[in-house]
Amino acid sequence: MTSGEWVNWKAALLAAALALSCHAAVAQTTPVSLPKPLLSGTTSGLAWGIYAGRLTSASLLEEGQGLRVGVPAGASVLGTRYDAAQRTALLTYRLPRGLDARSALAFATNQLQLQGFDIGERSFPTASSARAALSRDGQGLTVQTTRQANGDTQVLYVFGAAAP
């Protein structure tokens, strides 16, 4: 390779690197559109939404859209329910291969950590149940997961719980 070819090759690599970095910067500033939530509301000052599909990391990291939770890839949502008196939202889903309570809790808390929540206390009262307390900006949230006898997974979000 001649020195002129070498300079052209380096210039092409630099141009490609700049193009990629510009594309990444544009991608980071472009708002992520979310599908319509199955259930949503505002509880104890926290806007939230439960989605049927798996949410991407980009959609979870997006600022200003309130708390967002979804289900693992391949899961079928069986139902959602909100109890205003108890300040709770319940999500029930089924995965073809099943999911134990600890794994369901890990999935749910990972989504919340990506949105700025810190995990406090975790407990595993039985083999089929798990619980974690989380907080963000002084707001508490508790997540309880239960694996039902039929293999369905229930995730209960308790809004406004004492911050850990």
Side-chain angles (χ1 to χ4, degrees):
M1 185 179 295
T2 67
S3 68
E5 290 173 325
W6 177 251
V7 169
N8 287 341
W9 187 75
K10 285 173 53 178
L13 281 178
L14 180 59
L18 285 172
L20 285 174
S21 66
C22 289
H23 176 70
V26 169
Q28 289 175 356
T29 59
T30 304
V32 177
S33 66
L34 292 170
K36 185 176 178 180
L38 294 171
L39 186 66
S40 64
T42 300
T43 306
S44 299
L46 179 64
W48 54 270
I50 296 176
Y51 296 84
R54 181 173 184 263
L55 299 174
T56 65
S57 292
S59 65
L60 292 170
L61 292 169
E62 182 76 17
E63 297 271 338
Q65 294 195 27
L67 173 114
R68 297 158 310 280
V69 294
V71 296
S76 300
V77 174
L78 302 176
T80 59
R81 184 177 62 215
Y82 178 69
D83 184 329
Q86 298 294 316
R87 297 184 324 230
T88 61
L90 179 67
L91 167 64
T92 303
Y93 63 87
R94 179 178 297 150
L95 274 169
R97 66 188 183 290
L99 192 64
D100 65 25
R102 283 180 183 238
S103 298
L105 183 68
F107 180 82
T109 56
N110 182 54
Q111 290 181 84
L112 297 168
Q113 284 180 297
L114 287 171
Q115 296 173 70
F117 281 84
D118 295 316
I119 294 182
E121 180 182 329
R122 280 183 270 209
S123 63
F124 308 97
T126 67
S128 61
S129 66
R131 180 183 178 280
L134 299 102
S135 66
R136 177 178 77 181
D137 300 329
Q139 287 188 306
L141 175 69
T142 299
V143 179
Q144 300 171 12
T145 58
T146 306
R147 169 137 177 167
Q148 303 295 306
N150 65 1
D152 295 347
T153 300
Q154 290 190 322
V155 184
L156 182 69
Y157 298 91
V158 182
F159 300 101

